[in-house]
Amino acid sequence: MKRMLLIHDLCSVGKAAMMNMIPVLSVMGIEVCPLPTMLLSTHTGGFGKPEILPVPGNYLKESLRHFQRENITFDCVFVGYLGNVPMVETVLELLKTGPAPLVICDPIMGDHGKYYSNFDDSYREALCALLGEADLLLPNLTEAALLSGVPYEEGMTGEGLHAIVSRLCEMGMKNGIITGTNVGEHRIGMAIVEGGFVEQYTETEVLYQSHGTGDLFDAVLAGAILKGATLKEAAFQAHNFVAACLQEKAGQAGNERDGLPFEQLLGKLV
């Protein structure tokens, strides 16, 4: 059985981050070892201001040292939400001293052309150091533009997208998937970057929005790769599962803030 070290935040209510990724990866046959960076009472959209507890940096460091002492190894390290510069530096130290065969990083810091409210250029600069350590980078278009320094435009394709990819590769990106790259009327896109080449794909958009879609995408993608899928195969499996979850939610009554009913569709991943 493949084993993943999952470094991410944990939200009690709302179906996001670890609470989406752990059940998806588990049903795909991956042993998930969670190492939380931040504890939240809910996710940050629709429940008012959540109670937030950043996990002390020494906990993460000492946990990693414990793993090393006990010769605990991982087939994959997944790096998600880190939240502050010291946490980024701790994870960077981990990746430099104890590399796993596969390192996947989702550089969570913004959307719709701007940083999330608690991030700025100093956090971006810290995340840039992770680019060369990750085997696979999973930014949305905003995050890709911020990391690269290329000005953001909605639904970028063509020259703008290639400028982003070229700059990220110069900065150390090996392979990646950039989501939200080509949004037309009822179309949604992603760019798959592999070996320095970029291919763009568009799919029919499900006309429903929800929190936690990125975490579901990340989980299915990582699980499929660990089970032997190519990057392209894994990307489309992840896209199709998220689309199915969105369609299921759109057909139900319920509040968007409650997240997607992915539990009902986990059988698709077995």
Side-chain angles (χ1 to χ4, degrees):
M1 178 179 286
K2 299 288 187 179
R3 175 188 281 168
M4 173 191 285
L5 178 62
L6 177 59
I7 304 174
H8 212 333
D9 65 299
L10 191 154
C11 303
S12 293
V13 174
K15 297 184 186 179
M18 281 187 173
M19 296 307 294
N20 277 11
M21 294 188 69
I22 292 173
V24 166
L25 286 160
S26 295
V27 82
M28 293 180 76
I30 309 300
E31 178 187 352
V32 188
C33 304
L35 194 58
T37 58
M38 190 170 295
L39 307 178
L40 298 91
S41 55
T42 69
H43 63 61
T44 55
F47 288 100
K49 188 178 186 306
E51 188 66 25
I52 300 175
L53 176 64
V55 174
N58 63 316
Y59 170 78
L60 194 68
K61 286 183 179 181
E62 292 305 320
S63 294
L64 297 173
R65 288 171 181 165
H66 183 197
F67 297 156
Q68 291 173 343
R69 287 196 303 271
E70 295 300 317
N71 297 314
I72 298 171
T73 60
F74 303 95
D75 299 288
C76 175
V77 174
F78 185 96
V79 181
Y81 187 91
L82 299 178
N84 56 58
V85 171
M87 193 69 77
V88 177
E89 292 171 345
T90 295
V91 170
L92 183 60
E93 181 182 343
L94 156 72
L95 299 181
K96 285 182 177 295
T97 58
L102 177 65
V103 176
I104 302 175
C105 179
D106 186 342
I108 301 167
M109 62 175 169
D111 206 355
H112 304 295
K114 59 185 180 181
Y115 290 112
Y116 294 134
S117 60
N118 52 328
F119 296 135
D120 56 21
D121 286 343
S122 64
Y123 189 73
R124 167 210 170 265
E125 291 171 6
L127 282 183
C128 283
L130 293 177
L131 265 63
E133 303 300 325
D135 299 294
L136 179 60
L137 192 70
L138 302 177
N140 61 32
L141 182 59
T142 293
E143 291 155 351
L146 289 170
L147 287 169
S148 68
V150 175
Y152 170 87
E153 295 177 19
E154 189 76 23
M156 291 172 74
T157 58
E159 291 184 8
L161 179 61
H162 281 278
I164 287 175
V165 170
S166 177
R167 178 61 184 140
L168 290 177
C169 288
E170 290 173 2
M171 296 169 66
M173 181 179 74
K174 300 178 182 70
N175 301 297
I177 298 176
I178 303 173
T179 53
T181 60
N182 184 16
V183 182
E185 185 176 1
H186 306 322
R187 304 290 293 178
I188 189 165
M190 63 180 170
I192 299 178
V193 183
E194 197 166 13
F197 296 95
V198 57
E199 292 186 85
Q200 298 179 59
Y201 300 92
T202 62
E203 294 285 328
T204 302
E205 182 180 17
V206 179
L207 299 179
Y208 186 87
Q209 301 295 317
S210 178
H211 300 283
T213 54
D215 301 306
L216 292 176
F217 182 93
D218 289 351
V220 177
L221 178 83
I225 289 173
L226 285 171
K227 293 176 68 175
T230 66
L231 184 57
K232 182 178 177 180
E233 290 169 345
F236 278 97
Q237 184 178 350
H239 167 82
N240 291 338
F241 183 74
V242 172
C245 291
L246 287 166
Q247 289 169 343
E248 183 75 17
K249 179 70 173 184
Q252 300 178 1
N255 197 312
E256 178 185 331
R257 72 179 189 173
D258 294 330
L260 295 173
F262 67 88
E263 299 92 338
Q264 301 170 28
L265 300 174
L266 289 175
K268 291 179 176 289
L269 302 174
V270 177

